[in-house]
Amino acid sequence: MLVCIPNVLDAAQLVSVRERLDRANAWVDGRVTAGYQGAPVKFNQQIDELSEVAVSCQRIVVPALERNPLFISAVLPNVIYPLMFNRYSEGMTFGAHVDGSVRISPHDGRKIRTDVSATLFLTNPEDYDGGELQVEDTYGRHSVKLAAGDMVVYPATSVHNVTPITRGVRTSCFFWVQSLIRDDQQRALLYEMDGAIQRLNQTNADQTARRSLIGCYHNLVRQWSET
Ligand code: NI
């Protein structure tokens, strides 16, 4: 399930994050965090997730994620890996790969299973050419290029790539989440059910039936979740 989440950051938060990243001198070759599969096809730059600039940007973005009902509904986050930041300038690209299944938290060495991958776009599409995120699933290949401040989440099991940049610079925040619900199909069912409940709550639909449906949602989460 691929879900686009609009306006994760408001205009002021976006400016604040971009200013910090644009003046940072902590950019390094993105291959420092790539595994043996990703390293040969990865050509971009990243900021050390423990650097001062990364931490200050994380402090803006993480609360915005935690307040976002669509993110919570679609991802059902358990552990969010420390947010990372990357940029692609002209000629840079990231070939087809699958993200590593387990990441080690740089803070406490904890192992985090990557169930969901996320990209929060920080550059408006008109400021660069190329740089589409392409995600493959059983329905084919989806090309994603969102407005600055918008985010896409997709199963970390997906093959994906970033097409070469032919003009400008594309800056993004990216990260992984260990979800309460490991299985993408179960997560997709819960997301659809929660959306239907939210819409029903805005109507005068039978209250007993709605309560029963809400109970089913929570009981499914209880049954399927891992903490
Ligand atoms: Ni990736």
Side-chain angles (χ1 to χ4, degrees), residues 94 97-99 154 160 176:
F94 198 165
H97 65 283
V98 176
D99 293 339
Y154 57 97
H160 58 282
W176 298 274

Side-chain angles (χ1 to χ4, degrees), residues 7-20:
N7 304 314
V8 170
L9 297 184
D10 64 28
Q13 291 167 327
L14 185 60
V15 166
S16 180
V17 170
R18 276 299 304 272
E19 277 179 358
R20 287 160 206 261

Side-chain angles (χ1 to χ4, degrees), residues 39-72:
V41 292
K42 185 174 185 183
F43 301 98
N44 68 1
Q45 292 182 304
Q46 276 173 207
I47 282 192
D48 178 355
E49 68 256 46
L50 295 177
S51 65
E52 205 175 306
V53 61
V55 171
S56 72
C57 291
Q58 289 160 2
R59 286 198 184 119
I60 297 170
V61 180
V62 171
L65 292 173
E66 288 171 343
R67 282 194 302 270
N68 192 296
L70 193 52
F71 172 72
I72 302 294

